[in-house]
Amino acid sequence: MRKNRLAVVGALAAVLVAVTGPAAVAHDEPPTLADLAQRHGRYFGSATDNPELTDAPYVSLLGSEFDQITPGNGMKWYATEPQQGVFDFSQGDEIVDLARANHQKVRGHTLVWHSQLPDWLTGREWTAGELRVVLKKHIQTEVRHYRGKVFAWDVVNEAFNEDGTYRDTIFYRTLGPGYIADALRWAHQADPRVKLYPNDYNIESIGPKSDAYYRLAKELRAQGVPLHGIGLQAHLALQYGYPATLEDNLRRFSRLGLETALTEVDIRMYLPADEEKLATQAEWYGDLTEACLAVRRCVGITLWDYTDKYSWIPAFFEGEGAALPWDEELRPKPAYYAIRDALK
Ligand code: XIL
C-alpha cells in the first residue's frame, strides 16, 4: 500500500514536471522584486554607482533582483561636462551597458541641479543670455547622447524650498522661474520619446512643497510644456514619521494625467539599528510599495542603491544609516520581505 502511494506521488510529480517544466517545481529560486513588480505593470529598481561595479556579488544581485537602474552620480553635470563644451559620458555609458546586458531600463539622473556642478560653471558670473546657451547645450547634448537608452529623465532636480518657494539656485537667480519650462522643452526637442520629470525630496506628503509641484505641473500642462511625471525621491527617516498622505498625493498627480515614481527610496534611522527600528522600517517599505501599487500611473520604485554597503546616508547624515533593504553583507533585511509581501 505504502509503496503504491509513493509510486502514485512519483508519477504525479513526473506529470507535473512534464506539464509545467522544472522551474515550477524548484522552490529554491523565489521570484525577484522585479518579477513581482512586473505582475503589477511596475518596475522595481536600484541606483548604482561606478566604483561599486568591481564588487562581483553586489553586481550579481543588482543584475538579478531589479529591472531598472539609475546612475547615482555618473550622469550628473560635473561628471558629464567636466570642462565647458567637453563632454564625458563614460561613467553613464558603463551603467547603461551593464543595464542593457541585464535587460534593465535606465532612468537618467539628472540634467539641471544646483549640486554637483562643475567648477567652471559655478566659479564665475553668467549673464542670462550666456547661461541659457550653456544650459541648453548641456541638456541637449546629454539627452541626445542617451536617446533610446534611458526611458525617463529627472530634468530638474530639487527646484523648490520646503515652503514651496523656488530654490535660489544659479539657474533661478540668473534665468528666473522659466528655466524649468525651457529645460523641459529643450530636453523634449532632443528626445521626443523620453519621459520628462521634475524630481525632489520631501514631497511625499501633501504640503507646501508638494503643492508647489502640483501648481507647477498644472501650469506647465496648461501651457503645453512637455511634462510626463513627478519624481518623489522618498528619502525617508524614521524620526520624521511615515508620510501618511503619500497615496493621496500620488493620486492627485495621477488625476492630472501625470506619472509618478518613487525615485530614490531609502529609510534611514539613528544607529545602531535594532529589531524594533528594522521592523518599523520594514513596515514603511511595505506601505510605500502598497501606496504606489494602489495608484494608477505610479510607474515604479527605485531604491537609492539596494544595500547599506553602498548607501550615501552615513556620509551625509551623521549618526544615521541602515536605510536599505539589504545589509552591508548583502543579506536581506526585514524590509526586503515586507516589500515582497506588498508586491504579492
Ligand atoms: C547622492 C549620491 O548618492 C552620492 O554618492 C553623492 O555624493 C551625492 O549625491 N538626492 C539626489 C541624488 O537627487 O542625486 C543624491 O545622490 C541624493 C539626494
Side-chain angles (χ1 to χ4, degrees), residues 164-185:
T165 56
Y166 282 96
R167 187 192 282 267
D168 181 25
T169 68
I170 181 177
F171 307 108
Y172 179 75
R173 246 188 333 270
T174 315
L175 303 172
Y179 84 90
I180 297 179
D182 283 335
L184 290 162
R185 288 194 192 99

PDB file of all heavy atoms in Angstrom, residues 164-185:
ATOM      1  N   GLY A 164       7.775  75.893  -0.429  1.00  0.00           N
ATOM      2  CA  GLY A 164       7.142  75.947  -1.745  1.00  0.00           C
ATOM      3  C   GLY A 164       7.605  77.109  -2.612  1.00  0.00           C
ATOM      4  O   GLY A 164       7.133  77.266  -3.740  1.00  0.00           O
ATOM      5  N   THR A 165       8.537  77.924  -2.105  1.00  0.00           N
ATOM      6  CA  THR A 165       9.111  78.960  -2.964  1.00  0.00           C
ATOM      7  C   THR A 165      10.229  78.335  -3.803  1.00  0.00           C
ATOM      8  O   THR A 165      10.761  77.278  -3.453  1.00  0.00           O
ATOM      9  CB  THR A 165       9.694  80.123  -2.125  1.00  0.00           C
ATOM     10  OG1 THR A 165      10.660  79.581  -1.202  1.00  0.00           O
ATOM     11  CG2 THR A 165       8.589  80.824  -1.349  1.00  0.00           C
ATOM     12  N   TYR A 166      10.574  79.022  -4.878  1.00  0.00           N
ATOM     13  CA  TYR A 166      11.651  78.500  -5.729  1.00  0.00           C
ATOM     14  C   TYR A 166      12.977  78.530  -4.991  1.00  0.00           C
ATOM     15  O   TYR A 166      13.304  79.513  -4.319  1.00  0.00           O
ATOM     16  CB  TYR A 166      11.785  79.338  -7.008  1.00  0.00           C
ATOM     17  CG  TYR A 166      10.720  79.015  -8.028  1.00  0.00           C
ATOM     18  CD1 TYR A 166       9.562  79.788  -8.119  1.00  0.00           C
ATOM     19  CD2 TYR A 166      10.865  77.922  -8.876  1.00  0.00           C
ATOM     20  CE1 TYR A 166       8.574  79.489  -9.054  1.00  0.00           C
ATOM     21  CE2 TYR A 166       9.884  77.613  -9.812  1.00  0.00           C
ATOM     22  CZ  TYR A 166       8.743  78.399  -9.898  1.00  0.00           C
ATOM     23  OH  TYR A 166       7.775  78.101 -10.807  1.00  0.00           O
ATOM     24  N   ARG A 167      13.726  77.462  -5.126  1.00  0.00           N
ATOM     25  CA  ARG A 167      15.058  77.418  -4.539  1.00  0.00           C
ATOM     26  C   ARG A 167      15.964  78.408  -5.280  1.00  0.00           C
ATOM     27  O   ARG A 167      15.928  78.502  -6.517  1.00  0.00           O
ATOM     28  CB  ARG A 167      15.630  76.004  -4.657  1.00  0.00           C
ATOM     29  CG  ARG A 167      16.952  75.820  -3.917  1.00  0.00           C
ATOM     30  CD  ARG A 167      17.599  74.512  -4.304  1.00  0.00           C
ATOM     31  NE  ARG A 167      17.007  73.372  -3.637  1.00  0.00           N
ATOM     32  CZ  ARG A 167      17.447  72.847  -2.494  1.00  0.00           C
ATOM     33  NH1 ARG A 167      18.498  73.381  -1.900  1.00  0.00           N
ATOM     34  NH2 ARG A 167      16.861  71.795  -1.970  1.00  0.00           N
ATOM     35  N   ASP A 168      16.756  79.127  -4.516  1.00  0.00           N
ATOM     36  CA  ASP A 168      17.644  80.139  -5.070  1.00  0.00           C
ATOM     37  C   ASP A 168      18.902  79.473  -5.621  1.00  0.00           C
ATOM     38  O   ASP A 168      19.886  79.303  -4.915  1.00  0.00           O
ATOM     39  CB  ASP A 168      17.990  81.137  -3.957  1.00  0.00           C
ATOM     40  CG  ASP A 168      18.883  82.249  -4.450  1.00  0.00           C
ATOM     41  OD1 ASP A 168      18.863  82.533  -5.673  1.00  0.00           O
ATOM     42  OD2 ASP A 168      19.618  82.823  -3.624  1.00  0.00           O
ATOM     43  N   THR A 169      18.846  79.051  -6.863  1.00  0.00           N
ATOM     44  CA  THR A 169      19.992  78.390  -7.492  1.00  0.00           C
ATOM     45  C   THR A 169      20.576  79.311  -8.558  1.00  0.00           C
ATOM     46  O   THR A 169      19.973  80.332  -8.906  1.00  0.00           O
ATOM     47  CB  THR A 169      19.569  77.089  -8.202  1.00  0.00           C
ATOM     48  OG1 THR A 169      18.753  77.441  -9.336  1.00  0.00           O
ATOM     49  CG2 THR A 169      18.764  76.189  -7.270  1.00  0.00           C
ATOM     50  N   ILE A 170      21.703  78.926  -9.072  1.00  0.00           N
ATOM     51  CA  ILE A 170      22.319  79.704 -10.154  1.00  0.00           C
ATOM     52  C   ILE A 170      21.343  79.848 -11.331  1.00  0.00           C
ATOM     53  O   ILE A 170      21.277  80.898 -11.979  1.00  0.00           O
ATOM     54  CB  ILE A 170      23.661  79.057 -10.588  1.00  0.00           C
ATOM     55  CG1 ILE A 170      24.333  79.851 -11.703  1.00  0.00           C
ATOM     56  CG2 ILE A 170      23.492  77.623 -11.019  1.00  0.00           C
ATOM     57  CD1 ILE A 170      25.696  79.302 -12.123  1.00  0.00           C
ATOM     58  N   PHE A 171      20.521  78.833 -11.547  1.00  0.00           N
ATOM     59  CA  PHE A 171      19.602  78.856 -12.690  1.00  0.00           C
ATOM     60  C   PHE A 171      18.410  79.779 -12.418  1.00  0.00           C
ATOM     61  O   PHE A 171      18.038  80.599 -13.253  1.00  0.00           O
ATOM     62  CB  PHE A 171      19.134  77.446 -13.022  1.00  0.00           C
ATOM     63  CG  PHE A 171      20.287  76.508 -13.215  1.00  0.00           C
ATOM     64  CD1 PHE A 171      20.579  75.530 -12.266  1.00  0.00           C
ATOM     65  CD2 PHE A 171      21.122  76.626 -14.317  1.00  0.00           C
ATOM     66  CE1 PHE A 171      21.666  74.684 -12.416  1.00  0.00           C
ATOM     67  CE2 PHE A 171      22.222  75.785 -14.477  1.00  0.00           C
ATOM     68  CZ  PHE A 171      22.496  74.816 -13.521  1.00  0.00           C
ATOM     69  N   TYR A 172      17.855  79.666 -11.219  1.00  0.00           N
ATOM     70  CA  TYR A 172      16.716  80.512 -10.860  1.00  0.00           C
ATOM     71  C   TYR A 172      17.141  81.969 -10.790  1.00  0.00           C
ATOM     72  O   TYR A 172      16.467  82.853 -11.317  1.00  0.00           O
ATOM     73  CB  TYR A 172      16.128  80.054  -9.526  1.00  0.00           C
ATOM     74  CG  TYR A 172      14.968  80.907  -9.086  1.00  0.00           C
ATOM     75  CD1 TYR A 172      13.722  80.772  -9.700  1.00  0.00           C
ATOM     76  CD2 TYR A 172      15.124  81.861  -8.082  1.00  0.00           C
ATOM     77  CE1 TYR A 172      12.653  81.563  -9.314  1.00  0.00           C
ATOM     78  CE2 TYR A 172      14.064  82.658  -7.683  1.00  0.00           C
ATOM     79  CZ  TYR A 172      12.832  82.505  -8.302  1.00  0.00           C
ATOM     80  OH  TYR A 172      11.779  83.295  -7.917  1.00  0.00           O
ATOM     81  N   ARG A 173      18.265  82.192 -10.129  1.00  0.00           N
ATOM     82  CA  ARG A 173      18.771  83.554  -9.955  1.00  0.00           C
ATOM     83  C   ARG A 173      19.030  84.232 -11.289  1.00  0.00           C
ATOM     84  O   ARG A 173      18.703  85.382 -11.499  1.00  0.00           O
ATOM     85  CB  ARG A 173      20.093  83.507  -9.186  1.00  0.00           C
ATOM     86  CG  ARG A 173      20.051  84.140  -7.824  1.00  0.00           C
ATOM     87  CD  ARG A 173      21.401  84.274  -7.141  1.00  0.00           C
ATOM     88  NE  ARG A 173      22.447  83.351  -7.476  1.00  0.00           N
ATOM     89  CZ  ARG A 173      22.675  82.190  -6.872  1.00  0.00           C
ATOM     90  NH1 ARG A 173      21.881  81.789  -5.897  1.00  0.00           N
ATOM     91  NH2 ARG A 173      23.678  81.423  -7.232  1.00  0.00           N
ATOM     92  N   THR A 174      19.618  83.496 -12.198  1.00  0.00           N
ATOM     93  CA  THR A 174      20.057  84.100 -13.452  1.00  0.00           C
ATOM     94  C   THR A 174      18.950  84.118 -14.511  1.00  0.00           C
ATOM     95  O   THR A 174      18.849  85.054 -15.290  1.00  0.00           O
ATOM     96  CB  THR A 174      21.276  83.324 -14.001  1.00  0.00           C
ATOM     97  OG1 THR A 174      22.186  83.092 -12.932  1.00  0.00           O
ATOM     98  CG2 THR A 174      21.977  84.094 -15.107  1.00  0.00           C
ATOM     99  N   LEU A 175      18.117  83.079 -14.513  1.00  0.00           N
ATOM    100  CA  LEU A 175      17.162  82.929 -15.613  1.00  0.00           C
ATOM    101  C   LEU A 175      15.714  83.145 -15.204  1.00  0.00           C
ATOM    102  O   LEU A 175      14.838  83.262 -16.058  1.00  0.00           O
ATOM    103  CB  LEU A 175      17.298  81.530 -16.229  1.00  0.00           C
ATOM    104  CG  LEU A 175      18.700  81.153 -16.739  1.00  0.00           C
ATOM    105  CD1 LEU A 175      18.755  79.691 -17.134  1.00  0.00           C
ATOM    106  CD2 LEU A 175      19.082  82.042 -17.922  1.00  0.00           C
ATOM    107  N   GLY A 176      15.448  83.129 -13.885  1.00  0.00           N
ATOM    108  CA  GLY A 176      14.052  83.229 -13.447  1.00  0.00           C
ATOM    109  C   GLY A 176      13.370  81.870 -13.512  1.00  0.00           C
ATOM    110  O   GLY A 176      13.946  80.895 -14.004  1.00  0.00           O
ATOM    111  N   PRO A 177      12.120  81.794 -13.040  1.00  0.00           N
ATOM    112  CA  PRO A 177      11.427  80.501 -12.919  1.00  0.00           C
ATOM    113  C   PRO A 177      11.205  79.798 -14.265  1.00  0.00           C
ATOM    114  O   PRO A 177      11.009  78.578 -14.298  1.00  0.00           O
ATOM    115  CB  PRO A 177      10.091  80.865 -12.265  1.00  0.00           C
ATOM    116  CG  PRO A 177       9.926  82.339 -12.480  1.00  0.00           C
ATOM    117  CD  PRO A 177      11.312  82.910 -12.530  1.00  0.00           C
ATOM    118  N   GLY A 178      11.260  80.576 -15.344  1.00  0.00           N
ATOM    119  CA  GLY A 178      11.040  79.994 -16.673  1.00  0.00           C
ATOM    120  C   GLY A 178      12.083  78.969 -17.074  1.00  0.00           C
ATOM    121  O   GLY A 178      11.899  78.240 -18.051  1.00  0.00           O
ATOM    122  N   TYR A 179      13.173  78.861 -16.305  1.00  0.00           N
ATOM    123  CA  TYR A 179      14.220  77.899 -16.687  1.00  0.00           C
ATOM    124  C   TYR A 179      13.692  76.466 -16.674  1.00  0.00           C
ATOM    125  O   TYR A 179      14.172  75.607 -17.411  1.00  0.00           O
ATOM    126  CB  TYR A 179      15.461  78.054 -15.794  1.00  0.00           C
ATOM    127  CG  TYR A 179      15.421  77.319 -14.463  1.00  0.00           C
ATOM    128  CD1 TYR A 179      15.888  76.005 -14.360  1.00  0.00           C
ATOM    129  CD2 TYR A 179      14.904  77.921 -13.325  1.00  0.00           C
ATOM    130  CE1 TYR A 179      15.852  75.336 -13.135  1.00  0.00           C
ATOM    131  CE2 TYR A 179      14.877  77.265 -12.112  1.00  0.00           C
ATOM    132  CZ  TYR A 179      15.344  75.973 -12.020  1.00  0.00           C
ATOM    133  OH  TYR A 179      15.307  75.300 -10.838  1.00  0.00           O
ATOM    134  N   ILE A 180      12.676  76.224 -15.843  1.00  0.00           N
ATOM    135  CA  ILE A 180      12.145  74.853 -15.762  1.00  0.00           C
ATOM    136  C   ILE A 180      11.419  74.478 -17.057  1.00  0.00           C
ATOM    137  O   ILE A 180      11.679  73.421 -17.648  1.00  0.00           O
ATOM    138  CB  ILE A 180      11.226  74.705 -14.528  1.00  0.00           C
ATOM    139  CG1 ILE A 180      12.055  74.943 -13.246  1.00  0.00           C
ATOM    140  CG2 ILE A 180      10.563  73.328 -14.511  1.00  0.00           C
ATOM    141  CD1 ILE A 180      11.269  74.858 -11.953  1.00  0.00           C
ATOM    142  N   ALA A 181      10.535  75.360 -17.495  1.00  0.00           N
ATOM    143  CA  ALA A 181       9.821  75.091 -18.755  1.00  0.00           C
ATOM    144  C   ALA A 181      10.806  74.988 -19.917  1.00  0.00           C
ATOM    145  O   ALA A 181      10.683  74.112 -20.784  1.00  0.00           O
ATOM    146  CB  ALA A 181       8.793  76.183 -19.016  1.00  0.00           C
ATOM    147  N   ASP A 182      11.795  75.872 -19.928  1.00  0.00           N
ATOM    148  CA  ASP A 182      12.795  75.830 -21.000  1.00  0.00           C
ATOM    149  C   ASP A 182      13.544  74.498 -20.996  1.00  0.00           C
ATOM    150  O   ASP A 182      13.735  73.874 -22.039  1.00  0.00           O
ATOM    151  CB  ASP A 182      13.800  76.977 -20.836  1.00  0.00           C
ATOM    152  CG  ASP A 182      13.217  78.316 -21.281  1.00  0.00           C
ATOM    153  OD1 ASP A 182      12.285  78.301 -22.112  1.00  0.00           O
ATOM    154  OD2 ASP A 182      13.695  79.356 -20.794  1.00  0.00           O
ATOM    155  N   ALA A 183      13.960  74.072 -19.799  1.00  0.00           N
ATOM    156  CA  ALA A 183      14.704  72.813 -19.702  1.00  0.00           C
ATOM    157  C   ALA A 183      13.863  71.652 -20.234  1.00  0.00           C
ATOM    158  O   ALA A 183      14.365  70.783 -20.966  1.00  0.00           O
ATOM    159  CB  ALA A 183      15.105  72.568 -18.246  1.00  0.00           C
ATOM    160  N   LEU A 184      12.587  71.641 -19.890  1.00  0.00           N
ATOM    161  CA  LEU A 184      11.708  70.565 -20.365  1.00  0.00           C
ATOM    162  C   LEU A 184      11.562  70.609 -21.893  1.00  0.00           C
ATOM    163  O   LEU A 184      11.651  69.582 -22.567  1.00  0.00           O
ATOM    164  CB  LEU A 184      10.341  70.683 -19.687  1.00  0.00           C
ATOM    165  CG  LEU A 184      10.325  70.354 -18.184  1.00  0.00           C
ATOM    166  CD1 LEU A 184       9.075  70.906 -17.508  1.00  0.00           C
ATOM    167  CD2 LEU A 184      10.419  68.841 -17.959  1.00  0.00           C
ATOM    168  N   ARG A 185      11.394  71.805 -22.426  1.00  0.00           N
ATOM    169  CA  ARG A 185      11.249  71.932 -23.883  1.00  0.00           C
ATOM    170  C   ARG A 185      12.518  71.498 -24.608  1.00  0.00           C
ATOM    171  O   ARG A 185      12.470  70.799 -25.622  1.00  0.00           O
ATOM    172  CB  ARG A 185      10.924  73.390 -24.259  1.00  0.00           C
ATOM    173  CG  ARG A 185       9.520  73.819 -23.902  1.00  0.00           C
ATOM    174  CD  ARG A 185       9.200  75.144 -24.621  1.00  0.00           C
ATOM    175  NE  ARG A 185       7.980  75.732 -24.100  1.00  0.00           N
ATOM    176  CZ  ARG A 185       7.941  76.718 -23.186  1.00  0.00           C
ATOM    177  NH1 ARG A 185       9.071  77.240 -22.715  1.00  0.00           N
ATOM    178  NH2 ARG A 185       6.786  77.178 -22.767  1.00  0.00           N
TER     179      ARG A 185
END
